Amino acid sequence: MASLSDYPRFTLGDELTAEQRAFFAKYGFLHFRPFASPEQVQAYLKATQDVQHNWLTNKVEKVNGVPIKYGKDVDGSPIVQRFAFASQHSPVLHELLQDPRFKALFPLLETGDGRVGENERDGLVVNHYVNVEGSEFSQMGWHTDSLRDVFYGKRIRPMLNVGLHLDGTKATNGGLRVIPGTHRQGLGKMLFRKKYYKDVYYDPNEVAVETEPGDLTVHDGRMWHRVAQSPLIGAESRRRVMYVPIIGGKYQPKSNESPTPFYLRFLHLVK
């Protein structure tokens, strides 16, 4: 698993195969190709641009208590670099989350229930990475997605982070890195194996997830992962990914009255 390309790329159907479930149980992630067609990818990009235009025009600072991260594009124009609850502001993105193939992933939670968290946590998040002067989002350091439960003194809930990749990303252009098998680590290693978000460096056990537009990735919320910075500058460094959680347990939707989660008060430090 140390190679950049020796893990299998699967196809997501109405149900997971035994091979897919076994791979996830051992390594903690899955990579499906293709999930969205080129035409769908363009429709989703257009939808995010429409939401961005609306938020820039109306100077939206938070959605359901979650801060919106703004930055600069290659031409210096303002852009949204981290959206939250994007599907609540776009019928196209809302329709995406109704895709029945998402239900095939529910058994990976190892619970008796499961749902797409469109209205929970941060909802449908869109990350827009670009490596230029003025950008506020070019990488994301090592972290696990389950830390937020620990912050609030809660039992760690089963969670999957599902990413739809809208740009192709070779390993040489940065992108998602995972440490296979860390979804089965103990609490101590989940808390202290890395310095959350501050550690952005290569790990000898990491695997680069190379994507094409329309690919879908799934990783366990307890897994250590990061987004490596592109060594390229300008438009070639652009990477756009949409993430939505699949979760179980008690339904906990967010609303306009929801407070800003403690851990998101440090979002400005992630660049």
Side-chain angles (χ1 to χ4, degrees), residues 111 113-115 117 120-121 154 157-158 247-253:
T111 64
D113 60 354
R115 61 185 176 275
E120 300 174 84
R121 292 181 173 252
K154 298 178 180 179
R157 295 191 296 166
I247 52 183
K250 182 181 178 181
Y251 181 54
Q252 298 178 321

Side-chain angles (χ1 to χ4, degrees), residues 10 16-26 30 104 107-108 110:
F10 298 105
L16 293 177
T17 66
E19 180 187 9
Q20 291 165 357
R21 295 183 67 162
F23 185 91
F24 185 86
K26 183 174 183 178
L30 289 167
L108 297 177
E110 299 180 344

Side-chain angles (χ1 to χ4, degrees), residues 198-266:
K198 292 182 69 66
D199 185 347
V200 298
Y201 305 108
Y202 170 79
D203 186 291
N205 296 307
E206 73 178 40
V207 167
V209 179
E210 296 188 297
T211 60
E212 296 178 358
D215 283 7
L216 194 81
T217 59
V218 183
H219 67 259
D220 191 294
R222 297 164 293 184
M223 167 178 272
W224 280 101
H225 60 287
R226 70 179 177 113
V227 177
Q229 185 179 60
S230 173
L232 305 176
I233 305 294
E236 292 181 328
S237 70
R238 192 184 311 279
R239 303 186 307 273
R240 290 158 293 188
V241 188
M242 300 193 295
Y243 281 103
V244 69
I246 287 181
I247 52 183
K250 182 181 178 181
Y251 181 54
Q252 298 178 321
K254 297 282 187 69
S255 70
N256 289 332
E257 289 72 42
S258 296
T260 298
F262 175 76
Y263 59 89
L264 284 177
R265 295 177 185 176
F266 304 97

Side-chain angles (χ1 to χ4, degrees), residues 1-230:
M1 288 299 296
S3 168
L4 296 178
S5 60
D6 64 356
Y7 69 85
R9 278 68 166 175
F10 298 105
T11 299
L12 182 60
D14 294 333
E15 293 184 357
L16 293 177
T17 66
E19 180 187 9
Q20 291 165 357
R21 295 183 67 162
F23 185 91
F24 185 86
K26 183 174 183 178
Y27 296 113
F29 76 101
L30 289 167
H31 185 167
F32 298 103
R33 174 179 293 166
F35 180 85
S37 69
E39 294 75 20
Q40 289 173 317
V41 168
Q42 291 305 310
Y44 301 147
L45 286 171
K46 173 63 165 54
T48 63
Q49 291 165 359
D50 291 343
V51 176
Q52 173 178 272
H53 176 75
N54 178 38
W55 289 0
L56 285 168
T57 300
N58 294 287
K59 299 180 179 179
V60 176
E61 296 183 357
K62 295 181 181 180
V63 177
N64 296 339
V66 178
I68 304 306
K69 193 175 186 70
Y70 292 92
K72 300 291 185 180
D73 207 345
V74 295
D75 60 358
S77 62
I79 56 172
V80 177
Q81 295 203 259
R82 187 182 190 272
F83 301 69
F85 297 101
S87 67
Q88 294 184 358
H89 299 262
S90 167
V92 173
L93 299 181
H94 171 72
E95 182 64 25
L96 161 65
L97 300 187
Q98 314 313 307
D99 192 306
R101 288 175 292 178
F102 285 120
K103 294 182 180 179
L105 302 173
F106 293 175
L108 297 177
L109 292 172
E110 299 180 344
T111 64
D113 60 354
R115 61 185 176 275
V116 175
E118 182 174 15
N119 304 312
E120 300 174 84
R121 292 181 173 252
D122 297 348
L124 180 67
V125 170
V126 184
N127 291 333
H128 185 168
Y129 301 97
V130 62
N131 191 16
V132 295
E133 184 177 355
S135 172
E136 291 293 319
F137 215 18
S138 63
Q139 64 182 327
M140 185 176 291
W142 287 108
H143 64 285
T144 72
D145 299 316
S146 294
L147 180 67
R148 66 187 68 193
D149 290 335
V150 178
F151 257 120
Y152 292 105
K154 298 178 180 179
R155 181 179 179 183
I156 295 175
R157 295 191 296 166
M159 179 236 175
L160 308 173
N161 209 352
V162 181
L164 178 57
H165 299 258
L166 303 178
D167 294 289
T169 303
K170 296 293 185 181
T172 52
N173 194 23
L176 180 63
R177 307 289 197 264
V178 300
I179 303 181
T182 52
H183 63 306
R184 297 299 186 189
Q185 66 195 335
L187 180 60
K189 288 187 176 180
M190 197 189 83
L191 292 175
F192 302 114
R193 179 172 181 148
K194 302 281 188 183
K195 292 181 179 179
Y196 271 78
Y197 298 109
K198 292 182 69 66
D199 185 347
V200 298
Y201 305 108
Y202 170 79
D203 186 291
N205 296 307
E206 73 178 40
V207 167
V209 179
E210 296 188 297
T211 60
E212 296 178 358
D215 283 7
L216 194 81
T217 59
V218 183
H219 67 259
D220 191 294
R222 297 164 293 184
M223 167 178 272
W224 280 101
H225 60 287
R226 70 179 177 113
V227 177
Q229 185 179 60
S230 173

